[in-house]
Amino acid sequence: MTAYGPEPPALTARAPERDVAGRAPLGDGSEEQQAAVAAWLLRATKDERAAREQWQEGGVALLQCGVQFSAVRIPASLVWAAARTEVLRRVDEWLRLWCGPDGSGFVDLHSHMYYLLLPPTTEFLWTDRQLPGIEFLGRGRCDHYVGVPAVHRTTPVGRGYWCLPMQSPGALCHADEVEQLLESSRTLREEPR
Protein backbone atom coordinates (compact mmCIF):
# COMPACT_ATOMS: atom_id res chain seq x y z
CA MET A 1 0.00 0.00 0.00
CA THR A 2 1.22 3.49 -0.81
CA ALA A 3 0.77 6.76 1.04
CA TYR A 4 -2.24 7.59 -1.14
CA GLY A 5 -4.08 4.27 -1.02
CA PRO A 6 -3.85 0.82 -2.57
CA GLU A 7 -3.53 2.23 -6.11
CA PRO A 8 -2.00 5.47 -7.33
CA PRO A 9 -4.57 8.02 -8.48
CA ALA A 10 -5.06 8.61 -12.18
CA LEU A 11 -2.91 11.43 -13.41
CA THR A 12 -4.63 14.57 -14.54
CA ALA A 13 -1.51 15.63 -16.41
CA ARG A 14 1.30 13.61 -17.87
CA ALA A 15 4.93 14.55 -18.08
CA PRO A 16 5.43 16.72 -21.14
CA GLU A 17 7.12 14.97 -24.03
CA ARG A 18 10.79 15.92 -23.98
CA ASP A 19 13.89 14.93 -25.83
CA VAL A 20 16.17 13.76 -23.07
CA ALA A 21 18.52 11.89 -25.39
CA GLY A 22 21.19 14.53 -24.82
CA ARG A 23 21.02 14.18 -21.04
CA ALA A 24 23.63 11.99 -19.42
CA PRO A 25 22.26 9.00 -17.51
CA LEU A 26 21.85 9.59 -13.78
CA GLY A 27 25.20 9.71 -12.07
CA ASP A 28 27.17 9.71 -15.33
CA GLY A 29 28.68 13.18 -15.05
CA SER A 30 32.41 13.40 -15.66
CA GLU A 31 34.67 14.59 -12.87
CA GLU A 32 35.33 17.74 -14.89
CA GLN A 33 31.60 18.38 -15.28
CA GLN A 34 30.95 17.76 -11.58
CA ALA A 35 33.81 20.11 -10.63
CA ALA A 36 32.35 22.87 -12.83
CA VAL A 37 28.86 22.39 -11.35
CA ALA A 38 30.25 22.34 -7.80
CA ALA A 39 32.22 25.56 -8.41
CA TRP A 40 29.07 27.22 -9.78
CA LEU A 41 26.93 26.11 -6.83
CA LEU A 42 29.55 27.26 -4.32
CA ARG A 43 29.08 30.85 -5.48
CA ALA A 44 25.93 30.68 -3.31
CA THR A 45 27.99 30.73 -0.11
CA LYS A 46 30.31 33.22 1.50
CA ASP A 47 32.68 30.48 2.64
CA GLU A 48 33.41 28.06 -0.21
CA ARG A 49 36.04 26.19 1.81
CA ALA A 50 33.60 25.48 4.64
CA ALA A 51 30.92 24.34 2.17
CA ARG A 52 33.39 21.96 0.47
CA GLU A 53 34.26 20.54 3.90
CA GLN A 54 30.54 20.08 4.63
CA TRP A 55 30.20 18.14 1.37
CA GLN A 56 33.22 15.96 2.22
CA GLU A 57 32.23 15.29 5.83
CA GLY A 58 28.43 15.03 5.70
CA GLY A 59 27.53 15.03 2.01
CA VAL A 60 25.41 18.21 2.31
CA ALA A 61 26.40 21.90 2.32
CA LEU A 62 24.25 24.84 3.35
CA LEU A 63 23.84 27.22 0.38
CA GLN A 64 21.87 30.45 0.08
CA CYS A 65 18.90 30.58 -2.26
CA GLY A 66 18.42 33.62 -4.46
CA VAL A 67 22.10 33.96 -5.36
CA GLN A 68 22.77 31.29 -7.98
CA PHE A 69 19.38 29.61 -7.84
CA SER A 70 16.00 29.64 -6.18
CA ALA A 71 14.24 26.46 -5.12
CA VAL A 72 10.73 25.12 -4.77
CA ARG A 73 10.37 22.69 -1.87
CA ILE A 74 7.74 20.04 -2.55
CA PRO A 75 6.64 17.25 -0.19
CA ALA A 76 7.66 13.85 -1.55
CA SER A 77 4.08 12.58 -1.22
CA LEU A 78 2.97 15.06 -3.90
CA VAL A 79 5.79 14.15 -6.28
CA TRP A 80 5.19 10.43 -5.70
CA ALA A 81 1.47 10.82 -6.33
CA ALA A 82 2.09 12.69 -9.58
CA ALA A 83 4.70 10.12 -10.68
CA ARG A 84 2.37 7.30 -9.59
CA THR A 85 5.15 5.49 -7.76
CA GLU A 86 7.27 5.68 -4.64
CA VAL A 87 10.16 3.75 -6.22
CA LEU A 88 12.85 6.42 -6.19
CA ARG A 89 14.58 5.42 -9.46
CA ARG A 90 11.23 5.50 -11.28
CA VAL A 91 10.38 8.87 -9.72
CA ASP A 92 13.79 10.17 -10.84
CA GLU A 93 13.15 8.98 -14.41
CA TRP A 94 9.68 10.55 -14.39
CA LEU A 95 11.11 13.87 -13.18
CA ARG A 96 13.73 13.75 -15.94
CA LEU A 97 10.96 13.42 -18.50
CA TRP A 98 8.89 16.14 -16.87
CA CYS A 99 11.69 18.71 -16.40
CA GLY A 100 13.61 17.98 -19.59
CA PRO A 101 17.34 18.01 -20.19
CA ASP A 102 18.08 21.18 -18.24
CA GLY A 103 16.09 20.50 -15.09
CA SER A 104 17.97 20.02 -11.85
CA GLY A 105 16.90 19.12 -8.35
CA PHE A 106 17.54 16.96 -5.34
CA VAL A 107 15.66 15.15 -2.61
CA ASP A 108 16.19 15.23 1.15
CA LEU A 109 15.67 11.64 2.24
CA HIS A 110 15.23 12.55 5.91
CA SER A 111 12.55 15.21 5.51
CA HIS A 112 10.99 13.60 2.41
CA MET A 113 11.17 16.86 0.48
CA TYR A 114 12.08 17.47 -3.14
CA TYR A 115 13.86 20.66 -4.19
CA LEU A 116 13.56 21.75 -7.81
CA LEU A 117 16.02 24.50 -8.70
CA LEU A 118 14.94 27.59 -10.63
CA PRO A 119 16.74 30.76 -11.76
CA PRO A 120 17.32 33.20 -8.88
CA THR A 121 15.17 35.87 -10.53
CA THR A 122 12.08 33.65 -10.73
CA GLU A 123 8.81 35.24 -9.63
CA PHE A 124 6.86 32.37 -8.11
CA LEU A 125 3.10 32.72 -7.70
CA TRP A 126 2.20 29.66 -5.63
CA THR A 127 1.71 30.05 -1.91
CA ASP A 128 1.37 27.61 0.96
CA ARG A 129 -2.33 28.53 1.19
CA GLN A 130 -2.91 27.46 -2.42
CA LEU A 131 -0.97 24.25 -2.06
CA PRO A 132 -0.04 23.34 1.53
CA GLY A 133 3.49 22.10 1.97
CA ILE A 134 4.92 23.92 -1.06
CA GLU A 135 7.44 26.64 -0.35
CA PHE A 136 9.40 28.92 -2.66
CA LEU A 137 12.92 29.59 -1.40
CA GLY A 138 14.54 32.67 -2.87
CA ARG A 139 15.41 36.20 -1.93
CA GLY A 140 12.70 38.22 -0.37
CA ARG A 141 11.82 39.45 3.09
CA CYS A 142 14.19 36.87 4.53
CA ASP A 143 17.06 34.85 3.16
CA HIS A 144 16.56 31.14 2.65
CA TYR A 145 19.24 28.49 2.94
CA VAL A 146 19.02 24.90 1.80
CA GLY A 147 21.14 21.80 2.40
CA VAL A 148 22.46 20.90 -1.06
CA PRO A 149 23.94 17.43 -1.62
CA ALA A 150 27.46 17.11 -3.01
CA VAL A 151 27.26 16.93 -6.80
CA HIS A 152 28.57 13.37 -6.96
CA ARG A 153 25.67 12.09 -4.80
CA THR A 154 23.29 10.81 -7.45
CA THR A 155 21.94 7.70 -5.76
CA PRO A 156 19.59 7.47 -2.75
CA VAL A 157 22.18 7.07 0.01
CA GLY A 158 22.72 9.21 3.08
CA ARG A 159 20.87 12.44 3.77
CA GLY A 160 20.01 13.33 0.17
CA TYR A 161 20.94 13.01 -3.46
CA TRP A 162 20.51 14.67 -6.85
CA CYS A 163 17.42 13.08 -8.40
CA LEU A 164 17.98 15.47 -11.34
CA PRO A 165 21.76 15.98 -11.48
CA MET A 166 22.76 19.38 -12.82
CA GLN A 167 24.16 18.70 -16.29
CA SER A 168 26.15 21.92 -16.57
CA PRO A 169 26.68 25.03 -14.44
CA GLY A 170 23.42 26.98 -14.27
CA ALA A 171 21.18 24.30 -15.85
CA LEU A 172 17.96 24.93 -13.92
CA CYS A 173 14.29 23.95 -14.18
CA HIS A 174 11.86 26.22 -16.00
CA ALA A 175 9.24 27.81 -13.76
CA ASP A 176 6.36 26.86 -16.08
CA GLU A 177 7.27 23.16 -15.87
CA VAL A 178 7.40 23.30 -12.08
CA GLU A 179 4.08 25.17 -11.98
CA GLN A 180 2.47 22.50 -14.21
CA LEU A 181 3.76 19.80 -11.87
CA LEU A 182 2.29 21.66 -8.88
CA GLU A 183 -1.03 22.19 -10.66
CA SER A 184 -1.19 18.46 -11.33
CA SER A 185 -0.36 17.76 -7.68
CA ARG A 186 -3.02 20.21 -6.49
CA THR A 187 -5.63 18.54 -8.68
CA LEU A 188 -4.67 15.14 -7.27
CA ARG A 189 -4.91 16.49 -3.72
CA GLU A 190 -8.40 17.91 -4.36
CA GLU A 191 -9.79 14.73 -5.91
CA PRO A 192 -12.03 12.69 -3.59
CA ARG A 193 -10.44 9.44 -2.48
Side-chain angles (χ1 to χ4, degrees), residues 6-30:
E7 290 295 321
L11 273 179
T12 57
R14 293 201 176 273
E17 292 296 322
R18 303 254 186 255
D19 176 17
V20 291
R23 187 179 185 107
L26 290 174
D28 243 13
S30 70

Side-chain angles (χ1 to χ4, degrees), residues 13-15 18 36 38 65 69 106-107 122 131 139 171 193:
R14 293 201 176 273
R18 303 254 186 255
C65 296
F69 58 86
F106 54 89
V107 61
T122 301
L131 192 57
R139 287 222 175 209
R193 296 184 190 226

Side-chain angles (χ1 to χ4, degrees), residues 42 47-62 150:
L42 289 172
D47 190 346
E48 289 185 22
R49 190 174 56 97
R52 283 187 190 279
E53 287 175 8
Q54 290 172 352
W55 273 342
Q56 288 175 350
E57 294 171 11
V60 175
L62 199 60

Side-chain angles (χ1 to χ4, degrees), residues 86-131:
E86 292 180 14
V87 177
L88 293 178
R89 265 305 167 209
R90 289 185 183 156
V91 174
D92 297 349
E93 290 167 5
W94 182 84
L95 281 169
R96 289 176 65 178
L97 289 173
W98 188 281
C99 294
D102 288 335
S104 59
F106 54 89
V107 61
D108 182 322
L109 295 170
H110 289 227
S111 67
H112 294 260
M113 291 287 193
Y114 280 80
Y115 295 81
L116 298 181
L117 304 185
L118 300 168
T121 57
T122 301
E123 300 261 339
F124 205 72
L125 305 176
W126 290 87
T127 66
D128 186 54
R129 292 189 75 179
Q130 293 168 314
L131 192 57

Side-chain angles (χ1 to χ4, degrees), residues 76-191:
S77 59
L78 291 178
V79 176
W80 295 342
R84 300 177 62 173
T85 183
E86 292 180 14
V87 177
L88 293 178
R89 265 305 167 209
R90 289 185 183 156
V91 174
D92 297 349
E93 290 167 5
W94 182 84
L95 281 169
R96 289 176 65 178
L97 289 173
W98 188 281
C99 294
D102 288 335
S104 59
F106 54 89
V107 61
D108 182 322
L109 295 170
H110 289 227
S111 67
H112 294 260
M113 291 287 193
Y114 280 80
Y115 295 81
L116 298 181
L117 304 185
L118 300 168
T121 57
T122 301
E123 300 261 339
F124 205 72
L125 305 176
W126 290 87
T127 66
D128 186 54
R129 292 189 75 179
Q130 293 168 314
L131 192 57
I134 301 298
E135 186 173 3
F136 177 72
L137 307 170
R139 287 222 175 209
R141 285 179 276 157
C142 64
D143 290 336
H144 293 99
Y145 292 83
V146 65
V148 177
V151 296
H152 68 275
R153 291 185 174 253
T154 57
T155 57
V157 176
R159 172 80 195 207
Y161 75 101
W162 287 87
C163 54
L164 291 171
M166 189 176 284
Q167 296 298 303
S168 61
L172 302 168
C173 295
H174 298 284
D176 60 335
E177 293 163 354
V178 175
E179 288 176 356
Q180 288 173 10
L181 174 100
L182 296 177
E183 180 63 43
S184 173
S185 296
R186 181 169 78 164
T187 303
L188 286 169
R189 183 174 268 181
E190 292 172 352
E191 283 180 1

